[in-house]
Amino acid sequence: MTATELLVTRGNKRSTPRLPRPKIQHRGSIALFMAPFSVLFTLFYLIPIGYAIWQSLLVVERDGTYGEPRQVFGGLTQYLLVFENGPFWESVGRVLLFGIVQVPVMLGLALLFALLLDSPVLKGKRFFRLAFFAPYAVPGVIAAIMWGFLYSPNLSPFTDVTRSIDFLSPELVLWSIANVVTWVFVGYNMLIIYSSLLAIPSEVYEAARLDGAGQVRIAWSIKIPMITPAIVLTAVFSIIGTLQLLAEPQVFRSFSSAVSSTFTPNMTVYATSAIPNVNLAAAFSVVLAVATCVLSFTFLRLTQRKAER
């Protein structure tokens, strides 16, 4: 075993037996410091979730055509309507296709930029770190408006390109939105990965150089394996964000007729609540939340199994 492999092995696995956990002291102080977070978490997260689940179990009934509406318990009636709603499931399939293509591209660019910033070859790291992260400082709505003008054939300064390629057509508008999301969030994911790179001990790099490894070999065999948890974390965040896609396609409705009110699941929820049909919108939200949890935990489980092999 080379010196590099020995140091990497020690960095990934414990070389000493696991010691028993010390007894927790000062439980009262811990509870006191946790109280503000617990109260806010309950008020603004748990209670709204519970209220949405309750609303999804209600239906509206009327006495006659023009009778006063009242909400009564309807069981799983709203969920049956959700599973019968074709546009909603089409929007789910659309964002899944979006995620399958956009998430790997975005994380690949974030990893590449993070490795460049961590490389001794790159000069002017402070400038490039700021330049890569700057788009994340632009709100998503503003970024979508800016890119919408750039895509529009009549408004874009690049008219020769936009008139020959219709970026707002039904075939390309999804990928035009993907470009906006990638442009905004590459820098955010890059910082998470770059922070993980900074935590790698310098002794590992020194041992690798003594073994004759170059920068590419170090990046492939040492850096990427040791920052896998950070890459998995950014992937989970990206999966959740993909299923919650709302701002960018909502803005693009002003630029392209190809973006309907049910283009993404969150847009379907928003349009349904505006009818108003709050109970069905709540059922959409619950199903979407469950699907997000299932996809996220499935991805985590698959990555954990791969790491254990």
Side-chain angles (χ1 to χ4, degrees):
M1 180 179 289
T2 64
T4 305
E5 293 172 342
L6 180 59
L7 284 171
V8 173
T9 302
R10 288 180 177 177
N12 291 335
K13 298 181 180 179
R14 299 185 178 183
S15 57
T16 58
R18 183 175 297 178
L19 298 176
R21 291 184 179 181
K23 184 179 180 180
I24 299 177
Q25 299 178 353
H26 308 292
R27 294 180 182 271
S29 300
I30 295 174
L32 180 63
F33 282 109
M34 288 292 295
F37 167 78
S38 301
V39 171
L40 294 175
F41 184 77
T42 302
L43 289 177
F44 297 102
Y45 191 81
L46 296 180
I47 291 179
I49 289 176
Y51 182 71
I53 294 174
W54 169 247
Q55 285 289 319
S56 69
L57 299 176
L58 302 179
V59 294
V60 176
E61 289 186 352
R62 296 176 182 270
D63 293 329
T65 305
Y66 302 102
E68 183 179 353
R70 64 181 185 276
Q71 289 186 336
V72 298
F73 183 77
L76 300 178
T77 302
Q78 301 292 356
Y79 291 96
L80 294 176
L81 295 177
V82 169
F83 287 101
E84 294 173 357
N85 192 289
F88 174 75
W89 294 107
E90 289 177 4
S91 67
V92 171
R94 190 176 293 114
V95 295
L96 288 178
L97 176 62
F98 176 96
I100 290 172
V101 177
Q102 187 268 338
V103 170
V105 171
M106 178 178 63
L107 296 185
L109 289 174
L111 176 61
L112 176 61
F113 293 159
L115 291 173
L116 286 174
L117 289 177
D118 194 59
S119 172
V121 178
L122 183 67
K123 306 299 181 182
K125 292 184 180 181
R126 292 184 178 180
F127 168 78
F128 285 106
R129 184 168 62 234
L130 178 62
F132 294 152
F133 182 74
Y136 182 69
V138 180
V141 174
I142 303 301
I145 293 174
M146 179 184 70
W147 279 97
F149 279 109
L150 292 176
Y151 288 143
S152 179
N154 298 324
L155 303 174
S156 174
F158 310 104
T159 54
D160 293 338
V161 177
T162 55
R163 287 176 180 173
S164 59
I165 303 175
D166 188 1
F167 293 101
L168 300 176
S169 64
E171 295 79 15
L172 296 180
V173 68
L174 180 65
W175 310 117
S176 299
I177 296 173
N179 177 62
V180 178
V181 176
T182 302
W183 182 79
V184 172
F185 286 99
V186 161
Y188 170 79
N189 293 299
M190 177 207 68
L191 276 189
I192 296 177
I193 299 173
Y194 181 59
S195 300
S196 183
L197 284 170
L198 294 178
I200 299 177
S202 58
E203 293 83 357
V204 178
Y205 300 145
E206 293 175 2
R209 285 191 287 268
L210 289 175
D211 290 336
Q215 290 299 321
V216 176
R217 181 66 175 176
I218 291 174
W220 181 258
S221 300
I222 297 177
K223 293 183 178 182
I224 294 178
M226 294 190 73
I227 62 172
T228 298
I231 298 175
V232 172
L233 177 66
T234 56
V236 172
F237 286 165
S238 300
I239 291 172
I240 296 173
T242 296
L243 291 173
Q244 294 180 345
L245 192 63
L246 175 64
E248 291 82 3
Q250 188 72 25
V251 171
F252 267 63
R253 289 194 66 193
S254 304
F255 296 96
S256 174
S257 59
V259 181
S260 64
S261 60
T262 59
F263 192 76
T264 67
N266 264 350
M267 291 180 68
T268 304
V269 174
Y270 181 79
T272 304
S273 63
I275 293 177
N277 192 341
V278 179
N279 305 114
L280 182 58
F284 280 136
S285 301
V286 172
V287 171
L288 182 60
V290 172
T292 303
C293 291
V294 170
L295 285 176
S296 301
F297 282 109
T298 301
F299 178 79
L300 282 174
R301 187 59 179 168
L302 291 175
T303 53
Q304 288 175 354
R305 287 183 178 178
K306 186 176 180 180
E308 291 172 356
R309 293 178 181 175

